[in-house]
Each structure stands twice: as C-alpha cells, then as structure tokens.
Amino acid sequence: MSDTDALLLLQRAIVDRLKSSPAIVELVGDRVFDDVPPAALKPYISLGPRRVLVEAAAEYEGSDSRLQIDGWSEAVGMVEAQKIGCAVRDALHNAPLDLGDGQRLISIDFQRANYLRTQDGQTKHAVLLFRARTEPSN
C-alpha cells in the first residue's frame, strides 16, 4: 500500500472520529468537510493541507503525515473558534484511530493551534496541526 493510500485511510478515520465526537457535534453538527460546499453554514470544520513523508528502511515502510484541521466561525469574538479548536484537539490527540485495510496508526499527536481573524473581519479561523505516523499492519 502506498503512502497516499495510508493518508486516505487516515483522513477517513479522522473525519469519522470528528463526526462521532459529542463535543464536535454540539459545536458544528455534522459539518466536517474535505471539500467545503459553497453554501456551507458556519461554524464548520474542514481538512486543510496534508503532507506525507515516507519512512523506509530494510523491509519496512511507514508514513509520517502532517495534517491541518481548520475550524471556522462567524460568532462574535474568538470563543467559538477556540472551543472548536479544543474539541478537535481533544478528539484527535492520541486517539486510537482504526485505519483498517492493512494499515495501523502508530500515533497521532497535536502539535499546535493558531487562532486568527480573516480579512473579512467577521470570520474566525482555528488552525490545528497534527502529526500522524502509520505503518502496514501485516
């Protein structure tokens, strides 16, 4: 299995985990997107840029992925964006994600969060960065 396939399995597991988190559901409902629909209502969560590095050695090939998860809000102040960020962090940091399909998650670790106001002055943006390591399970 290629590193891209491992990333696709990881992405599916992340979306499933976020959509099943009571804290996430309370904040954004089921609005967790890879490709945000044009008429999506805020608040929502979207998957941001992803980067994969292959870790290869004699008879071993794993992946080290860096993932960005974004939270979006139009509420007054940064509180809602920060709540979304905390809920995403709590749902994913050290989560026991089941990748299936011949891959296993070694670890997923929260790296950092940034909370920003976008140029429109109304939208708040939570940017969370994670590192995930995967390897073949057989």
Side-chain angles (χ1 to χ4, degrees), residues 41-64:
L41 298 175
K42 293 179 182 76
Y44 63 80
I45 293 169
S46 62
L47 303 183
R50 289 145 261 182
R51 179 181 71 168
V52 178
L53 302 170
V54 174
E55 295 180 338
E59 298 187 30
Y60 174 82
E61 185 173 316
S63 296
D64 182 347

Side-chain angles (χ1 to χ4, degrees), residues 24 81-91 115 128:
I24 297 285
Q82 288 175 269
K83 285 182 177 180
I84 293 168
C86 290
V88 169
R89 179 199 63 215
D90 291 348
Y115 297 96
L128 291 96

Side-chain angles (χ1 to χ4, degrees), residues 101-117:
D101 240 11
Q103 288 286 310
R104 78 175 191 94
L105 179 70
I106 299 168
S107 64
I108 183 165
D109 301 305
F110 171 72
Q111 301 286 293
R112 74 173 190 259
N114 294 315
Y115 297 96
L116 316 162
R117 284 183 172 77

Side-chain angles (χ1 to χ4, degrees), residues 13-32 45 83-93 95 97:
I14 286 171
V15 170
D16 289 348
R17 177 78 175 200
L18 293 175
K19 285 186 172 185
S20 68
S21 163
I24 297 285
V25 171
E26 183 178 324
L27 290 164
V28 303
D30 67 347
R31 294 183 305 274
V32 178
I45 293 169
K83 285 182 177 180
I84 293 168
C86 290
V88 169
R89 179 199 63 215
D90 291 348
L92 295 179
H93 180 67
L97 303 178

